[in-house]
Amino acid sequence: MLIGARALPGHAAAFSAFNPATGAALEPQFGSAIISDVDLACELADQAFDAYRETTLEQRAAFLEQIAQNIMDLGPALVERAMLESGLPQGRIEGERGRTVNQLRLFAKVVRDGRWQGATLDSALPERVPPRPDLRLRKIAVGPVVVFGASNFPLAFSVGGGDTASALAAGCPVIVKAHGAHPGTSELVGKAIQAAVASCGLPEGVFSMLHGDGRTIGTALVNHPAVKAVGFTGSRQGGTALMRTAAQRPEPIPVYAEMSSINPVFLLPCALENRAGALGTSFIDSLTLGAGQFCTNPGLVIALDGPALESFCASAAAALEEKGAATMLTSGIHSAFTEGVARLAGAQGVTLVGRGKAGDGPCAGRAALFITDAANFVGNPALEDEIFGASSLVVRCSDLEQMHQVAAHLDGQLTATIILDQDDRDAALALLPLLERKAGRILVNGYPTGVEVSHAMVHGGPFPATSDSRSTSVGAGAIDRFLRPVSYQDLPAYLLPAALQENNPQQLWRVRDGELVKA
């Protein structure tokens, strides 16, 4: 464990990581935290908060860049350990490492820019009736944040991932509850962050990392009074459990949980008629990418019934037959996937379209595609359950009106995709308002499994995709989750924070008396 500046062995139950490709336990063993470790990490974070949140923009940006550099300096050791603990190939891990450091660098740019502070100045109007006082507003960090590492991204959504980067950018100390599937990877990245805290001269409580069971250590972290927000990526069951815990505190706090999504793909009639075969192949390529272990995996296809859809399914089935079984991240994820596919195969009104090749590894996931009709889908809520892995369901619709009924029926989603040709214009215009109500990101003629880290990205959506549809966990907007506004009335100049001082020392774009100015 890493608690402030210290590296400490866990004193609770020891555990090992496992190589999902072989089932073999990996050395060394790791010890779990006890409640006193939680208290120490949270107390250090609370002590660090006021000093850290008032670091200069340059200090905080340089700190994020130093973390990124320290992660890169880990070199092959990080890649090799992550491959062993996840079963993911070298190219995927190296790409994920690049994404991790890029989002840290993106948030360094966001911090330097300073717009996240929302600096706003309303001048005093003493002659007005009634008079208006001098009012100034900025956003400040909410306080220490607990981040839960994700199973499917050992780097980009874990110890040094997007939740940690955005919380640190906002000025919040972070306590990470590392995921039990990749403790060695977590320790390497955690030490890189710990070293950056020390070399940048920051209070030690800016970062800590604990191992332990989610039901005990995770719950204790969320319940600690010093903690003011939570970032989580994982299952709907886990996310809603944290939401209940946070809501029942004496001081309820927000939980930003990214949870369940089946990411519907709508094949509009002209596109399907013109490109059925090619679409079947490209869809399977997206479905099976990374063994389907993405929160944006396309788990649902909606299309009009007819010969074109039959061609799509035939092409998809042929493509599936060529896809080998892929190693899944953990035995638990593999078991849940296998059970979910079996339930779907046995559901009333559901027919198998095709399967991928079987595998012989302990966590080999065999891709699957099924089909049903719209009435059966709408009438059976279980068909909308997420199956985390390379499994998808095709829904046949009799006409565009029924396609709209299916869209309106869906729960909240991270993404919704429209596959269209030029002659589908009217159908797309009619469908779009429905999808805007359902999803955080809408794509055209692409697949949702790539999530760009950028200023315009939204990785969120209505429940159960996330716990708060107003937020994103990827992209520059992720910083907003960990900020709150404070208004300052008639403060003397010596008390004003830099963002609101009259001479604008940070050279920010600010809203002054309703006008956006750099003054």
Side-chain angles (χ1 to χ4, degrees):
M1 302 180 301
L2 305 172
I3 302 180
R6 285 155 278 190
L8 303 171
H11 295 98
F15 68 99
S16 298
F18 286 83
N19 184 333
T22 65
L26 299 171
E27 294 292 337
Q29 284 196 322
F30 292 82
S32 300
I34 55 179
I35 298 302
S36 60
D37 298 319
V38 171
D39 291 337
L40 178 57
C42 292
E43 288 162 8
L44 286 172
D46 192 46
Q47 293 165 16
F49 174 49
D50 282 330
Y52 179 59
R53 72 182 176 90
E54 291 301 343
T55 49
T56 67
L57 303 185
E58 180 56 36
Q59 285 173 325
R60 208 179 308 165
F63 169 50
L64 294 170
E65 290 170 339
Q66 188 61 58
I67 296 172
Q69 187 58 54
N70 288 357
I71 290 173
M72 291 304 300
D73 288 346
L74 292 170
L78 176 62
V79 174
E80 291 165 5
R81 183 71 191 193
M83 289 170 61
L84 285 174
E85 291 184 332
S86 68
L88 295 171
Q90 181 175 344
R92 158 68 190 273
I93 294 296
E94 289 177 344
E96 192 179 326
R97 179 181 61 182
R99 172 181 170 146
T100 303
V101 300
N102 287 342
Q103 60 195 3
L104 286 160
R105 290 166 179 159
L106 170 71
F107 280 110
K109 184 178 185 300
V110 168
V111 169
R112 284 194 179 95
D113 180 81
R115 285 180 293 173
W116 55 273
Q117 297 175 94
T120 305
L121 294 77
D122 290 333
S123 301
L125 299 175
E127 305 303 322
R128 195 190 71 176
V129 180
R132 184 175 78 184
D134 180 89
L135 291 168
R136 305 181 185 219
L137 177 148
R138 70 163 177 163
K139 295 178 181 178
I140 68 168
V142 297
V145 171
V146 168
V147 170
F148 286 80
S151 63
N152 59 334
F153 282 88
L155 298 175
F157 276 87
S158 291
V159 174
D163 285 343
T164 296
S166 54
L168 290 174
C172 300
V174 170
I175 305 135
V176 173
K177 211 294 283 182
H179 197 280
H182 31 77
T185 304
S186 298
E187 181 181 314
L188 288 168
V189 175
K191 286 183 174 178
I193 300 174
Q194 187 184 58
V197 171
S199 66
C200 292
L202 299 174
E204 64 169 320
V206 166
F207 176 78
S208 292
M209 185 196 78
L210 304 177
H211 298 294
D213 178 70
R215 291 181 179 84
T216 53
I217 297 306
T219 299
L221 284 166
V222 175
N223 271 324
H224 198 282
V227 171
K228 302 304 180 186
V230 176
F232 171 84
T233 299
S235 69
R236 182 172 176 174
Q237 180 182 9
T240 53
L242 293 178
M243 292 164 61
R244 286 192 296 270
T245 298
Q248 291 166 2
R249 288 175 29 141
E251 177 199 4
I253 59 172
V255 173
Y256 296 103
E258 189 259 279
M259 299 176 290
S260 175
S261 184
I262 54 175
N263 307 296
V265 177
F266 293 83
L267 305 179
L268 295 189
C270 294
L272 183 60
E273 184 70 31
N274 295 333
R275 298 186 275 139
L279 289 173
T281 301
S282 61
F283 173 77
I284 294 302
D285 287 341
S286 177
L287 176 69
T288 57
L289 183 68
Q293 297 168 119
F294 297 103
C295 42
T296 54
N297 204 54
L300 194 68
V301 179
I302 300 103
L304 299 192
D305 199 7
L309 182 56
E310 292 176 6
S311 295
F312 170 88
C313 290
S315 174
L320 262 182
E321 290 176 358
E322 300 302 316
K323 297 292 184 182
T327 299
M328 302 194 77
L329 291 156
T330 69
S331 59
I333 289 172
H334 176 257
S335 294
F337 171 74
T338 303
E339 292 166 5
V341 169
R343 283 196 305 271
L344 191 54
Q348 183 175 359
V350 174
T351 303
L352 179 68
V353 173
R355 296 295 307 264
K357 295 178 180 179
D360 54 9
C363 294
R366 187 183 180 195
L369 182 65
F370 300 90
I371 192 167
T372 191
D373 61 66
N376 190 50
F377 178 77
V378 172
N380 187 349
L383 298 184
E384 203 174 343
D385 290 346
E386 179 186 27
I387 298 174
F388 189 67
S391 174
S392 192
L393 176 65
V394 178
V395 177
R396 297 189 305 260
C397 300
S398 58
D399 52 29
L400 287 174
E401 181 180 353
Q402 193 171 53
M403 181 180 282
H404 288 188
Q405 291 171 357
V406 171
H409 165 80
L410 291 172
D411 285 338
Q413 306 292 332
L414 292 171
T415 73
T417 298
I418 305 172
I419 304 296
L420 57 79
D421 279 357
Q422 184 62 36
D423 290 340
D424 290 311
R425 173 188 172 93
D426 290 344
L429 285 169
L431 183 60
L432 183 61
L434 276 172
L435 301 188
E436 288 175 330
R437 294 169 61 178
K438 295 293 182 178
R441 178 163 59 111
I442 299 169
L443 302 84
V444 169
N445 289 341
Y447 291 104
T449 39
V451 182
E452 181 68 28
V453 179
S454 68
H455 293 271
M457 176 53 66
V458 171
H459 189 61
F463 185 87
T466 65
S467 56
D468 187 337
S469 64
R470 299 165 297 178
S471 67
T472 177
S473 61
V474 177
I479 194 174
D480 294 329
R481 299 173 297 168
F482 306 119
L483 297 168
R484 65 178 183 88
V486 176
S487 183
Y488 303 82
Q489 182 170 325
D490 288 333
L491 265 65
Y494 68 85
L495 283 180
L496 287 172
L500 301 179
Q501 290 172 11
E502 201 63 30
N503 63 346
N504 194 13
Q506 295 179 339
Q507 290 297 294
L508 302 175
W509 284 97
R510 308 190 293 187
V511 176
R512 182 185 282 273
D513 297 323
E515 300 294 331
L516 183 63
V517 295
K518 198 169 187 177

